[in-house]
Amino acid sequence: MAKKYDFLFKLLLIGDSGVGKTCLIIRFAEDNFNSTYISTIGIDFKVKTIDVDGKKVKLQVWDTAGQERFKTITTAYYRGAMGIILVYDITDDKSFENIQNWMKSIKENASAGVSRMLLGNKCDIEAKRKVSKETGEKLAKDHGISFFETSAKSSINVEESFQALAQEILQKSSKKSSPTGKEVKITSSAEKKPSKCVVL
Ligand SMILES: Nc1nc2c(ncn2[C@@H]2O[C@H](COP(=O)(O)OP(=O)(O)OP(=O)(O)O)[C@@H](O)[C@H]2O)c(=O)[nH]1
Ligand SMILES: *[C@@H]1O[C@H](CO)[C@@H](O)[C@H](O)[C@H]1NC(C)=O
Ligand SMILES: *[C@@H]1O[C@H](CO)[C@@H](O)[C@H](O)[C@H]1NC(C)=O
Ligand SMILES: [Mg+2]
């Protein structure tokens, strides 16, 4: 039987409690939003398969609790992640300042070469903005990572950001699989088949 996907990538979302990690994952995986705040206990995950450069990429997205008391549990999941999404809330200065601590946490606990991405969430509430887009952009640039302002509520840049991170990981992995270190296009005869053929 044909495989339902070509690649499986494990992603992890981290950031302060209340920045909207769970809402971003629910928007991405289920295209839903519910403003009732239920703080995450420990760790959870959702899956979604997307198309990246003609490949079926299954994303296993791990949702972590932002609360300090869960730190020991959540850091244990860093090592298995191929991509880590750092999230702050554009209406909350503190959540942005704390990004440096979350970065440190990645350095201490994640695999070397993990792809990172920075998201400034809740960009729908412009009136309460505390962190300018330029400030977020600059931090991402300093770390050499991609950046988006998102809204889980208004569905802004959610799909786009996950897509961008998945593409980055895919490009990295195809480079790695080449003996010359040059980028190799992973092609197969299956590529030209209509997608219906690979659905189980
Ligand atoms: N306006 C607005 N509110 C949002 C957005 N995303 C999340 N929220 C609200 O922010 C609150 C926290 O969202 P969560 O997704 O639960 O936050 P979290 O980062 O998962 O928090 P922890 O699980 O405690 O770490 C909820 O009341 C959401 O409704 C957004 O894009 N815009
Ligand atoms: C939002 O979630 C809460 C808690 O799970 C639930 O009681 C409520 O009915 C939900 N609202 C909508 C509109 O689905
Ligand atoms: C994360 O890193 C810190 C500092 O190096 C270490 O004390 C801790 O045990 C690590 N956690 C896990 C789960 O590996
Ligand atoms: Mg949560």
Side-chain angles (χ1 to χ4, degrees), residues 49-175:
T49 303
I50 59 167
D51 186 287
V52 185
D53 299 337
K55 302 288 170 196
K56 283 205 187 318
V57 178
K58 183 173 179 172
L59 299 179
Q60 193 177 83
V61 187
W62 290 87
D63 184 15
T64 63
Q67 289 179 57
E68 187 65 34
R69 64 191 172 112
F70 297 112
K71 205 72 193 283
T72 312
I73 304 166
T74 57
T75 51
Y77 285 81
Y78 284 30
R79 199 161 307 283
M82 300 157 86
I84 298 184
I85 302 173
L86 297 116
V87 187
Y88 67 92
D89 171 353
I90 68 148
T91 71
D92 177 5
D93 282 326
K94 191 79 205 303
S95 74
F96 180 73
E97 285 162 24
N98 259 334
I99 289 294
Q100 63 168 315
N101 295 321
W102 292 108
M103 287 282 192
K104 193 164 162 252
S105 221
I106 293 176
K107 221 175 166 183
E108 288 170 354
N109 298 103
S111 301
V114 65
S115 295
R116 294 166 301 160
M117 174 171 72
L118 181 66
L119 300 183
N121 191 41
K122 307 196 189 181
C123 73
D124 56 288
I125 357 179
E126 191 58 47
K128 287 190 181 167
R129 179 190 285 275
K130 298 271 167 53
V131 184
S132 75
K133 191 175 176 187
E134 291 66 34
T135 306
E137 258 164 5
K138 177 158 192 316
L139 183 67
K141 200 172 172 227
D142 289 347
H143 286 274
I145 65 176
S146 46
F147 171 73
F148 291 89
E149 282 199 339
T150 58
S151 169
K153 187 179 182 180
S154 305
S155 195
I156 300 167
N157 281 341
V158 180
E159 180 85 36
E160 289 83 351
S161 56
F162 279 89
Q163 185 81 31
L165 184 61
Q167 182 151 34
E168 189 186 316
I169 298 169
L170 182 63
Q171 279 166 0
K172 240 188 221 178
S173 62
S174 57
K175 266 180 200 160

